[in-house]
Amino acid sequence: MRELFLYAHRGASVEAPENTLVAFRRALEVGADGIELDVHLSADGVPVVIHDETLERTTDGVGPVASHGSEELQTLDAGFWFDPHFAGEPLPTLEETLSLLAGRLRLNLEVKDSRAGLAVVALLRHFPTADVVLSSFDYGLLARLRRAAPDLPLAVLLDAGNWQRALVRAEALRACAFHPRADLVSRPLMAACRRLQLPVFPWTVDTPAQARGLVRMGVAGLFTNDPAGLRGFFPSPTA
Ligand code: G3P
Ligand code: MG
């Protein structure tokens, strides 16, 4: 069986509410090699872990994340929407998340709000043992992060459009990885990444058949909502 680096996408998000500590603990339990999580900024400048710009889909709050203070955000229920069993599961701050996970597995912090970038870099100074990769669809933000932190591991995300242009940006940023949407992966894309010595981690892949196809093309790992399901087929390269 081929080893494969598995990032739990928003934690073990088929089993538990995405981007919560319970989903992250589950990812650890089932042997994920890394966890991907999404970062926004509260009104008072605190990085918090949630995917959407607004609160409605995954919490009992209303309106933009950025218009609420961090204390208020921490009182929200981010579990009930997924299953009543998870009622009361809070919306985590990035600091709480790093306190739980730093040093235990790799963390891919996907920065959703361009204002959050420098706050994340400042917070990471308190977690020197954290193995982190920061990623974003916003290449301007990645360039600002690179200027602020010359050695910070950065990854370029791509969800549509021209992968050649994305790779030019990745090279200029000295990115450590390329994170394309899974259906964009092709043999020419993989050949170009090999030439740049740029590991490829596609998202989001939940079936062994799709994962096998991508492994054959040479991906270094992938993002899955179901790390428990895929781990049974692909041993960990980090165990
Ligand atoms: O980081 C990979 C993936 O999470 C990007 O898309 O919308 O799931 O955050 P999204
Ligand atoms: Mg994400």
Side-chain angles (χ1 to χ4, degrees):
M1 275 201 295
R2 285 277 286 276
E3 292 178 349
L4 187 61
F5 189 104
L6 296 179
Y7 274 112
H9 181 244
R10 312 181 193 177
S13 58
V14 295
E15 296 186 71
E18 65 181 57
N19 284 319
T20 63
L21 297 186
V22 67
F24 301 151
R25 281 195 204 94
R26 182 67 188 149
L28 271 176
E29 268 167 30
V30 302
D33 304 295
I35 291 176
E36 187 262 4
L37 54 92
D38 304 293
V39 181
H40 279 273
L41 202 62
S42 68
D44 52 337
V46 174
V48 293
V49 180
I50 182 169
H51 178 273
D52 297 0
E53 233 172 86
T54 52
L55 294 165
E56 283 83 349
R57 183 177 64 86
T58 59
T59 78
D60 57 353
V62 178
V65 177
S67 63
H68 296 262
S70 57
E71 279 190 21
E72 190 190 345
L73 291 172
Q74 286 173 269
T75 67
L76 297 178
D77 184 329
F80 186 87
W81 70 275
F82 184 82
D83 187 293
H85 169 72
F86 294 106
E89 185 62 31
L91 187 165
T93 63
L94 182 58
E95 184 173 6
E96 286 174 295
T97 306
L98 289 167
S99 300
L100 174 71
L101 299 172
R104 301 179 78 177
L105 75 180
R106 185 172 305 159
L107 296 173
N108 174 204
L109 314 182
E110 187 197 336
V111 184
K112 291 287 192 193
D113 179 340
S114 65
R115 300 170 315 129
L118 295 181
V120 172
V121 171
L123 182 59
L124 285 173
R125 294 204 184 98
H126 300 282
F127 294 91
T129 63
D131 173 11
V132 293
V133 177
L134 269 63
S135 65
S136 184
F137 290 112
D138 179 343
Y139 302 164
L141 164 65
L142 290 174
R144 289 196 295 282
L145 288 173
R146 173 53 72 235
R147 283 195 290 277
D151 298 325
L152 187 66
L154 296 177
V156 167
L157 271 162
L158 182 69
D159 73 343
N162 186 311
W163 57 259
Q164 287 89 345
R165 239 191 329 254
L167 291 184
V168 170
R169 299 303 289 261
E171 199 178 7
L173 285 162
R174 290 181 285 109
C176 66
F178 185 44
H179 297 177
R181 208 179 64 207
D183 60 323
L184 299 176
V185 175
S186 63
R187 296 211 177 274
L189 178 149
M190 293 302 301
C193 289
R194 260 194 306 278
R195 279 196 294 277
L196 295 172
Q197 298 186 314
L198 191 63
V200 178
F201 295 78
W203 49 275
T204 307
V205 179
D206 289 343
T207 66
Q210 192 184 8
R212 266 189 219 103
L214 290 162
V215 167
R216 275 196 292 274
M217 292 225 254
V219 301
L222 49 79
F223 294 83
T224 179
N225 298 309
D226 188 12
L230 287 196
R231 185 85 297 162
F233 294 89
F234 302 97
S236 168
T238 62

